[in-house]
Amino acid sequence: MLALPLLEPKRSNVTHPYRLSDSTLRLLYSCEKKFELMRLCEIDMPVRDSSPAAIRGGAFGVGVQTYLLTRDINLAAIRTWLAYWPMDEERPYVSCSRTVNNLIVVKPVLDKLLERYEVAFFNDKPAVELSLRLNKKGSKYHFVGYIDIVMWDRQEECYVVFEMKTTGYKLHDLEPVYKNQSQALAYSIVIDKIAGEKQAKYGVVYLVIRDKGKDPIPDIYTFHFNKTLTDRLKWFVSYGLDLQRIEQLEELGIFPMRGNSCVAFNKPCPLYGSCHMESLSQMRRPIPEIDEQYDFVYDLDEIVEDHLARV
């Protein structure tokens, strides 16, 4: 019988000031001042992973992972429900029931996906909820990522990074939202170790759920994008440039404010009206004494050198 790992939605309790991720890099791109205050400074801000949307997405992800591993929809529904605890959002029971409903509705789509894909294994364990850390020699910053699932694509005969997303976008065509996302490019580096040899090709698969108001049947989308080593190399080089930019901004003590980011989703930035206060920038966040343990640890310079030799 398959030993099912303990699956929990990833929620951050401690913010490491020098830990970067896909979301923090997007924060940097939108407004350097917001990045400084929310990541480097001791500002009392809501933890992103405890927002209602993050809780729903995490719980739904746990349910999908459980079903892909066991094909037991009852167990998957139970684990989706349990993933909501502690319930720290408004109307949690309504949202939780909606998420369990979405899981049951998406079951035929998951069954269809399992005809083509199967969960990969690493060290005799299912390749789910894997974590990675990317270091850079001489830099105090490091990048981290958490991978939903790695799967084997029987049709293309390659490994794929499988990501689950919930969205509120009202676009008719959601493909542009995900096709060029860089998140899975960084995550795909673990595929070489899972395969036991260097892989020349890989893919990214997105399962996307979009609620439709009071309609109990959500929109369900699946996207498969083939990726190359060049795609991955470009991300690593770009990340290295981002690191240089952050370190230069910190050395100069200048993190500019970007007016275009003062309003998002028809709401003002929570830092609007106070971000100009220089005293806030002096309240640097302490470094946690104990950091997380990661399944995979890499060095950026070594990764870039390896990929330059392979492309």
Side-chain angles (χ1 to χ4, degrees), residues 64-65 68 119 127-129 147-151 160-162 164:
V64 171
Q65 289 170 326
L68 292 176
V119 178
V128 299
E129 293 299 318
I147 306 165
D148 290 339
I149 311 178
V150 176
M151 305 188 79
V160 300
V161 175
F162 189 93
M164 294 157 286

Side-chain angles (χ1 to χ4, degrees), residues 26-210:
R26 282 188 276 114
L27 185 64
L28 173 71
Y29 304 150
S30 66
C31 179
E32 293 91 334
K33 175 57 72 173
K34 191 172 182 179
F35 169 85
E36 179 197 26
L37 295 179
M38 294 186 66
R39 296 302 305 179
L40 305 183
C41 298
E42 191 68 69
I43 305 296
D44 187 16
M45 294 287 293
V47 179
R48 180 178 179 273
D49 289 344
S50 65
S51 68
I55 294 172
R56 289 196 293 272
F60 178 75
V62 167
V64 171
Q65 289 170 326
T66 301
Y67 185 75
L68 292 176
L69 286 169
T70 66
R71 302 202 182 195
D72 185 336
I73 193 63
N74 294 320
L75 178 60
I78 291 172
R79 291 210 162 180
T80 299
W81 183 271
L82 292 175
Y84 260 81
W85 295 91
M87 291 189 172
D88 50 359
E89 61 162 316
E90 297 180 1
R91 305 180 68 205
Y93 293 101
V94 175
S95 297
C96 185
S97 299
R98 183 67 177 258
T99 303
V100 173
N101 171 77
N102 287 352
L103 176 69
I104 295 173
V105 171
V106 83
K107 178 182 177 298
V109 177
L110 297 178
D111 289 333
K112 185 68 175 179
L113 287 171
L114 285 169
E115 294 177 6
R116 175 173 174 177
Y117 307 98
E118 62 181 336
V119 178
F121 279 72
F122 178 70
N123 288 341
D124 298 322
K125 296 180 181 180
V128 299
E129 293 299 318
L130 298 175
S131 59
L132 69 92
R133 171 171 172 154
L134 181 60
N135 298 321
K136 173 73 168 66
K137 290 185 178 70
S139 176
K140 60 187 177 185
Y141 292 93
H142 58 273
F143 179 90
V144 302
Y146 299 91
I147 306 165
D148 290 339
I149 311 178
V150 176
M151 305 188 79
W152 173 253
D153 182 351
R154 301 185 186 94
Q155 180 175 313
E156 295 288 338
E157 295 188 336
C158 68
Y159 287 94
V160 300
V161 175
F162 189 93
E163 290 284 311
M164 294 157 286
K165 302 291 185 180
T166 55
T167 183
Y169 277 114
K170 303 301 182 183
L171 298 175
H172 175 70
D173 182 10
L174 287 176
E175 181 175 304
V177 177
Y178 299 99
K179 184 174 183 179
N180 294 315
Q181 281 200 7
S182 60
Q183 183 178 18
L185 293 177
Y187 296 176
S188 67
I189 186 61
V190 307
I191 287 176
D192 289 352
K193 286 191 176 181
I194 291 174
E197 59 184 1
K198 295 180 179 180
Q199 302 293 294
K201 66 176 183 177
Y202 61 99
V204 178
V205 175
Y206 291 98
L207 171 67
V208 183
I209 301 295
R210 179 173 63 187

Side-chain angles (χ1 to χ4, degrees), residues 232-263:
R232 192 194 292 168
L233 173 61
K234 288 178 180 178
W235 184 90
F236 287 124
V237 172
S238 175
Y239 170 65
L241 295 174
D242 291 337
L243 270 184
Q244 292 180 18
R245 181 182 175 199
I246 294 171
E247 291 169 339
Q248 289 175 350
L249 290 172
E250 191 170 21
E251 181 180 356
L252 294 171
I254 298 176
F255 287 83
M257 294 175 284
R258 303 295 181 181
N260 291 336
S261 296
C262 290
V263 177

